[in-house]
Amino acid sequence: GKFSIDLGTNYKLIHLTLTDITGKVLQDDTYEGLQLLDLVLDEPRGVYLLFIKANEKKATIRLIKE
């Protein structure tokens, strides 16, 4: 349930949203001045989507917890 994401550079403002496969928002946070995001997924097994927005860049990461 623990994972790290290296954004490749230090971003001033990062918005992160974690949802389950149905779209239910489980986490919605803003971080400042980070390059490495350390996250803990305290949810049951399943598929989750992590949406990251930093400056004008966006990424979607599919997480599978077994």
Side-chain angles (χ1 to χ4, degrees), residues 9-15 53-58:
T9 190
N10 193 326
Y11 287 98
K12 187 173 184 178
L13 191 64
I14 302 156
H15 185 242
K53 182 177 179 186
N55 295 344
E56 298 301 318
K57 297 182 179 186
K58 295 180 183 179

Side-chain angles (χ1 to χ4, degrees), residues 1-57:
K2 295 180 184 179
F3 59 97
S4 296
I5 298 171
D6 188 343
L7 300 174
T9 190
N10 193 326
Y11 287 98
K12 187 173 184 178
L13 191 64
I14 302 156
H15 185 242
L16 178 141
T17 304
L18 177 70
T19 68
D20 65 12
I21 197 70
T22 67
K24 178 182 173 188
V25 175
L26 305 172
Q27 185 177 344
D28 190 32
D29 293 310
T30 301
Y31 300 92
E32 294 183 24
L34 294 177
Q35 176 178 335
L36 187 64
L37 293 173
D38 291 316
L39 304 168
V40 177
L41 183 59
D42 287 332
E43 299 294 330
R45 288 187 245 179
V47 178
Y48 299 91
L49 297 173
L50 181 64
F51 300 96
I52 302 171
K53 182 177 179 186
N55 295 344
E56 298 301 318
K57 297 182 179 186

